[in-house]
Structures are given as structure tokens and as C-alpha cells.
Amino acid sequence: MDNYIVSARKYRPSTFRSVVGQKSLTTTLKNAISTNKLAHAYLFCGPRGVGKTSCARIFAKTINCLNMSPEGEACNECESCMAFNEQRSYNIHELDAASNNSVDDIRSLIEQVRIPPAIGKYKVFIIDEVHMLSSAAFNAFLKTLEEPPHHALFILATTEKHKVLPTILSRCQIYDFSRISIADMVEHLQYVASCEGVEAEPEALNVISQKADGGMRDALSIFDQVVSFTGGNITYQAVIDNLNVLDYEYYFRLTESMLSGNVREALLTLNEILSKGFDGQNIITGLASHMRDLLVCKDESTLVLFEVGASIRERYKEMAKRCSDPLLFKAIDLANTCDLNYRVSRNKRLLLELTLIQLCQLSRPDPVAEAPAGGVINPVTAVAGQPAPRPQSATPPPSTPPAGSVVTTHMPAGVPVNNPIKVPEGPSSPGPAKSAGARPPVTTSLKNLTQDKNKPQQQVATERVVQQVTPFDQNDLLKYWDAFGTMIDKKVYLKNTMYNCKPVLQDNFFFEVAVHNPGQREELVNNSIEILSYLRSQLKNTAIQMQIRISETNEKKLAYTATEKYEHLLNINPALGKLKDEFNLTLD
């Protein structure tokens, strides 16, 4: 028990070859040593547990080795290597900047820099967590770091490079260590397991590697923990039980429920997961990752992004074939939205259940047919299965044109238009109308639709369109124009416009309205459908058309410049010119 050493320390790399997942960096360092092109300061930065300090120690030992191998590795046999391995070397000094971050600590280090090495060529100073030095300590260190003695070499290590002063960064060669891939970690764990005589399933080691999140030290610590739990036989089930990891099986069950649209089964699966003590946010983030894995499994080119064991890879590929790309895109988006809203939600379980309900709806076809453009479903198409006849003279609703143009409003001749305004009793009374600005639909009834099923389409259209061309004169037009104006009490501006602007009958049942300003024109254009509907029904003439224009006699020229304003005032009062000349005034 006294001799037990944890795997993270026991299997710590001692040579460049044994460093896991940093091949490019170790190759660069070995080439620098072999060509004798060493910088005086290095900065190793990257996540935790990826080999920064280990590489610094290996580098320091190798450059002082007296019998270095042709591959650029230390011999581990010379006096310098033996002293380093036995931790009695005076050529390598390690400083923990987390606890030695003051100016006095840096001054003590500078004093040691002056002393040359007893054995070997270089005296190496490794400063770990260098970002925790104070600003004063950094400033005190600058001069020595920039121009150290020829025998001194500095290796700085940090997990937070952004906290290091730019003046320090500019004096160092920077090496960025990357996270260790899952494949490399699994391979190294298998080596450790074989050395320790431990049986381990590949899937179990894969879960350990995923849990380590790119850090080999974390992976080895988890490995020791699982070995203690299992007694030397690491299985997939034992790992997920010990590490509280959600099994792939639950995610596959949720995916099956999503594909089949079985909401109840999905909710029961969620309840089973929650009853085992899993956190809701871990569930939804795991589901998002599961959907992402299904997406990358759909194409061989993206399969390299899928980091799971070989045994479960085939199951993912089979499930991915049943999921369309749009479904997976939407599922990932819903899961990610739930993850973002989880912390602020007061009813977290309900949020999870609502997300699962939405996921189960993705695979169901929409029972509601989409409406055609314009948002109106044709009643003939919906009932009889045939498209409704389209009038040849139909035009889109009127829009407001630019100032100064003439607006002509057109309505499909012969199409009965409803009117929402209640008309007093008279010679004829129009029916209810559709709101202004919308295209009038062809009115019909369910009985007529049933009777028209067996008729030719052209015959049905002809029967429904009734042409009326009854002659009328200017007096008749003015009579019903004023009658319409008296019925629109709620539209005061339109009422005043119709009172001040009278229509003038032209040829072929065409009349013109001259308005005084663009606002009146826009008001008539917006209500033109109701006006024409009323006039056509009262005058019994479906060919009536209306043209609106701004009267040129009412257009006033406004004075904008100083000269225009002066001339306008001069016309009103000629004495203004004498005043200007007498006092020799000018226009600014």
C-alpha cells in the first residue's frame, strides 16, 4: 500500500516518444535540439493534462544529456540524466507561480540565473502557471527574460495564455498544446491496462476518454477509480454506473420514439432516466450530442468526426439511415434551445417534456394542407377537387403610386362583390362585402358546388358570372356617390374627400375623380373596391371603372429657398423692395 503510485504519476512520459497526442510539438523540439537551435525562452500553453510540464521536463533533461541518442532522446544513463531521474539535479529549477508570484520570488530566481550549471550546458528554469504572476513580478522578470546569460533557458507553462502580458509573449517561442484525441487516449489506456494486468472493454475505455475531455491526466485518474470499483475487470456497464454516465441505449430509445412520433413512450423514457438521478441538463446536452453523432454518421466524409467505439458505430450508422437531414437539423436546434433555456426555466421537467413532444412531432406529416399564395383556400378546389375559374380581367389590389400619377382602379367585370356597409332601403340593396383591399372571391354555396360537380368547368364559370350593363347618366352617378358618402360615418376623412371631390362621367361607363392632394387620392384608392362595389350594385352596371388624379389647379408651389421666399413676400408687399435697396440688404 505504501508503494502504490497513481497511474498519472507512474506512467508520466519520460521521453519525447512516450508523450501522447503531441507528435508535431515533440518533433519540433527534438529537431531544435539536434540542430542546436535553442531559443532562450519557451511558452507552453494549452488545456490541463495534455503534457505541458512533462514536455518541459523532458526538454530540460534532453538538452543536458551527455550521450544523446541519434533520435534526439536522452540516454537516461549519464550523470546528468541520472541526477534528473533521481530528482537531485541542480541544473533544473521548477517554480510554481501560483504560490510564488511576488517580486521577491522573481528576484530570488534572477539571483539563481547568474550561477552557471555544474554539469551539462544549460540551467533550465521551469515556471508553471506563469499567468498567476503579479504585474510587478512580470515587469521585474522582463529584462532577465529578454537577455538572459548564455547558459540560462526559461520554459513557461500556462493554461491561460490570454492572461500573460504581451511583452512576455513577444520574448518567447510559443507552443500551443492541443487536446488529446479520444483514439489516442483509448490506445494509451489499453497500454496502461495491459501493464497493470487489468481487463478492459474498448467501449469502457472510450467512455473514460470522453469523460476526460481531452486530458490524459484526468483519463488516468478516472481509470484508477474504475479499477478500484471493478476490481480489475472494467466493463462498459460498470463504467457508466460508476461515472454516472447516461447509457447510449436511452438515447436510441428516445430516437425511436421521435421517429415513430410516440410522445408517451418518450415521456416514459425521460421519467425512467430522471428516476435514476441524472440531471436534466446532462440529458438534453447528451441528446443534442447524440443527434449530432447521427448527422455525421450519414456521410462517409464526416465519419471521421464520430468518436465512439467500433461496436456501437454500426448501430449509429443504421439509425442514421432512418433519419433525414432536415429532421436532424431541427432536432439539434430544439435540443440546443432547450439547453440554453434550462437554467432560467422554473419548471425544468416541463421544459424537457415539451422539447421531447416537439421532437416527436418532427416525423409526423402535417395534416393541414398548405394554402396557396395569398393565404386563401379556393372553395371549389377544396370540395370539388377542381381549380376555380379565374376571371380574365382580374387585377391585384390597388397600391399607392407615386405623387403626380393617375390611378385607375379595375374590378373583374361581372363578379358579384359583397359590401360590408349597411345600405338603407332603396331601389336595390347590395349584399354584405369583403373588407377593403382584398380580391373579391367567387361566391358560391355547398349546394351549388355539389350540383356543379358533373358540369363542365367552362359552363360552371359562365353560369356564375352574370354581366350587367345598364346605362346611367351623370346625375345617377352623383346620387349614389353622395349616398355612399352618407353611410360611412366612421371614415371621416373618406367622407370629406367624397364630399369635396365629385366624379365626372366619361365614355364607356368610365368616370374620373380629381382630388386636391395625395392623401385624398390614397384614401380613395384604399376604399375603391367598396365604392365600385356599391356603385355597380346600385346602378346595375358591372363595367364601371374609376380613375383618380390630383388636380393641377390645386397644386401649390412652395417657397423653399431664400430667393423664392423674398419674391413671394415682394408680391404681397412691394414696399419690401424699397426697404432692401435703402438699407443695402442682401439675401443670405
Side-chain angles (χ1 to χ4, degrees):
M1 186 67 180
D2 295 338
N3 296 327
Y4 175 75
I5 302 176
V6 296
S7 298
R9 291 181 58 191
K10 184 176 181 180
Y11 294 96
R12 188 166 195 163
S14 58
T15 61
F16 285 122
R17 184 174 56 254
S18 60
V19 177
V20 180
Q22 310 295 343
K23 185 176 181 180
S24 61
L25 296 184
T26 55
T27 301
T28 303
L29 293 175
K30 286 196 296 184
N31 291 339
I33 296 172
S34 61
T35 58
N36 198 25
K37 295 181 179 179
L38 301 178
H40 64 274
Y42 294 87
L43 177 65
F44 292 170
C45 50
R48 69 184 189 280
V50 293
K52 299 185 297 295
T53 306
S54 297
C55 283
R57 291 177 178 177
I58 297 170
F59 185 69
K61 180 177 72 170
T62 306
I63 62 177
N64 280 319
C65 180
L66 302 177
N67 299 311
M68 191 171 57
S69 66
E71 293 82 14
E73 298 283 1
C75 66
N76 288 320
E77 295 177 356
C78 65
E79 177 61 25
S80 176
C81 292
M82 294 293 291
F84 176 83
N85 293 337
E86 296 172 3
Q87 299 181 2
R88 55 179 176 84
S89 174
Y90 291 101
N91 291 347
I92 299 173
H93 299 268
E94 291 193 36
L95 178 70
D96 179 21
S99 56
N100 302 277
N101 55 8
S102 65
V103 177
D104 292 336
D105 296 320
I106 295 298
R107 286 175 181 170
S108 176
L109 182 142
I110 293 173
E111 291 295 331
Q112 297 180 27
V113 170
R114 298 176 183 177
I115 304 173
I119 301 176
K121 299 180 184 179
Y122 299 97
K123 203 166 188 178
V124 183
F125 296 88
I126 301 174
I127 305 178
D128 207 1
E129 303 299 334
V130 70
H131 65 274
M132 301 192 72
L133 287 177
S134 64
S135 298
F138 269 129
N139 293 329
F141 187 45
L142 280 176
K143 185 63 177 176
T144 304
L145 183 65
E146 184 177 10
E147 296 177 356
H150 68 278
H151 61 265
L153 190 147
F154 296 97
I155 303 177
L156 315 179
T158 179
T159 55
E160 301 182 43
K161 183 176 68 172
H162 60 279
K163 291 185 179 181
V164 181
L165 294 181
T167 51
I168 297 291
L169 297 177
S170 65
R171 289 164 168 79
C172 302
Q173 282 191 8
I174 302 175
Y175 288 77
D176 289 301
F177 285 68
S178 60
R179 293 182 180 274
I180 302 174
S181 66
I182 292 179
D184 289 338
M185 276 198 282
V186 170
E187 182 180 357
H188 188 67
L189 290 177
Q190 288 175 338
Y191 165 75
V192 173
S194 62
C195 294
E196 294 293 323
V198 175
E199 296 290 333
E201 295 180 358
E203 288 301 326
L205 298 180
N206 188 276
V207 174
I208 294 175
S209 302
Q210 291 183 15
K211 191 76 172 178
D213 193 25
M216 181 55 70
R217 182 171 59 238
D218 294 355
L220 290 172
S221 299
I222 297 172
F223 175 82
D224 289 344
Q225 176 183 340
V226 176
V227 168
S228 299
F229 175 72
T230 60
N233 185 18
I234 302 177
T235 62
Y236 172 76
Q237 188 62 41
V239 170
I240 63 174
D241 290 343
N242 183 254
L243 301 182
N244 199 30
V245 176
L246 195 57
D247 190 6
Y248 293 117
E249 188 63 36
Y250 288 109
Y251 292 129
F252 281 115
R253 286 169 56 183
L254 289 174
T255 308
E256 287 286 354
S257 302
M258 183 186 76
L259 293 176
S260 61
N262 194 335
V263 176
R264 294 167 180 81
E265 183 64 30
L267 296 181
L268 290 175
T269 304
L270 175 63
N271 182 70
E272 182 179 347
I273 297 173
L274 292 174
S275 64
K276 292 181 178 293
F278 289 99
D279 180 67
Q281 192 155 26
N282 291 337
I283 297 173
I284 199 64
T285 54
L287 183 60
S289 300
H290 176 75
M291 294 301 171
R292 176 261 183 196
D293 291 340
L294 289 175
L295 181 63
V296 300
C297 281
K298 291 184 66 65
D299 196 325
E300 291 293 334
S301 61
T302 58
L303 201 58
V304 294
L305 303 175
F306 186 52
E307 297 180 329
V308 298
S311 61
I312 198 138
R313 186 185 298 265
E314 292 300 324
R315 187 171 182 183
Y316 266 96
K317 292 172 67 174
E318 291 298 325
M319 180 67 74
K321 293 178 182 179
R322 301 169 53 190
C323 304
S324 63
D325 285 347
L327 183 142
L328 291 175
F329 296 154
K330 187 62 178 176
I332 294 173
D333 181 60
L334 288 174
N336 184 61
T337 302
C338 178
D339 182 29
L340 295 175
N341 297 331
Y342 188 83
R343 290 188 179 180
V344 298
S345 175
R346 293 189 177 182
N347 193 339
K348 301 183 185 301
R349 174 161 184 160
L350 180 60
L351 178 63
L352 292 174
E353 292 176 342
L354 286 175
T355 302
L356 290 180
I357 292 172
Q358 290 175 316
L359 290 173
C360 292
Q361 300 300 317
L362 295 179
S363 59
R364 291 187 177 182
D366 189 1
V368 181
E370 293 185 359
V376 179
I377 299 178
N378 196 304
V380 177
T381 305
V383 178
Q386 297 179 350
R390 199 172 193 178
Q392 297 296 326
S393 59
T395 59
S399 59
T400 305
S405 61
V406 177
V407 180
T408 305
T409 59
H410 297 280
M411 295 274 291
V415 179
V417 181
N418 301 330
N419 196 332
I421 303 172
K422 296 182 179 179
V423 183
E425 296 181 359
S428 62
S429 178
K434 189 175 177 60
S435 60
R439 181 179 297 177
V442 178
T443 56
T444 184
S445 64
L446 184 61
K447 180 179 180 181
N448 292 337
L449 289 173
T450 306
Q451 294 174 351
D452 291 341
K453 274 187 177 181
N454 299 324
K455 295 183 180 180
Q457 181 176 345
Q458 189 64 32
Q459 181 182 351
V460 173
T462 305
E463 291 178 1
R464 289 180 186 160
V465 179
V466 180
Q467 299 286 348
Q468 286 184 314
V469 187
T470 304
F472 61 92
D473 56 15
Q474 176 69 22
N475 293 331
D476 295 332
L477 178 61
L478 290 175
K479 174 184 175 182
Y480 291 110
W481 180 270
D482 294 337
F484 185 85
T486 59
M487 298 183 297
I488 50 175
D489 295 332
K490 293 184 179 181
K491 298 182 180 181
V492 179
Y493 190 56
L494 176 62
K495 183 175 183 179
N496 294 335
T497 300
M498 297 188 69
Y499 178 78
N500 295 318
C501 306
K502 301 298 182 181
V504 178
L505 184 62
Q506 308 291 336
D507 296 335
N508 299 325
F509 311 114
F510 187 88
F511 69 90
E512 183 182 74
V513 182
V515 297
H516 303 151
N517 54 63
Q520 292 178 336
R521 180 189 61 187
E522 183 178 358
E523 191 69 21
L524 288 179
V525 169
N526 292 338
N527 296 275
S528 59
I529 293 181
E530 291 187 7
I531 296 172
L532 288 175
S533 173
Y534 177 73
L535 293 177
R536 287 176 178 179
S537 62
Q538 296 296 328
L539 296 172
K540 294 183 172 55
N541 191 315
T542 57
I544 296 176
Q545 301 293 342
M546 176 175 62
Q547 178 176 293
I548 307 169
R549 66 177 180 85
I550 298 179
S551 177
E552 296 181 0
T553 58
N554 290 287
E555 291 182 348
K556 297 181 180 181
K557 182 179 180 181
L558 301 178
Y560 292 103
T561 65
T563 303
E564 291 175 347
K565 293 177 181 178
Y566 171 73
E567 292 175 354
H568 177 71
L569 294 175
L570 189 62
N571 291 332
I572 299 176
N573 188 1
L576 188 62
K578 296 179 181 181
L579 179 66
K580 175 178 176 295
D581 296 337
E582 182 176 352
F583 289 95
N584 195 22
L585 301 175
T586 59
L587 297 175
D588 293 334

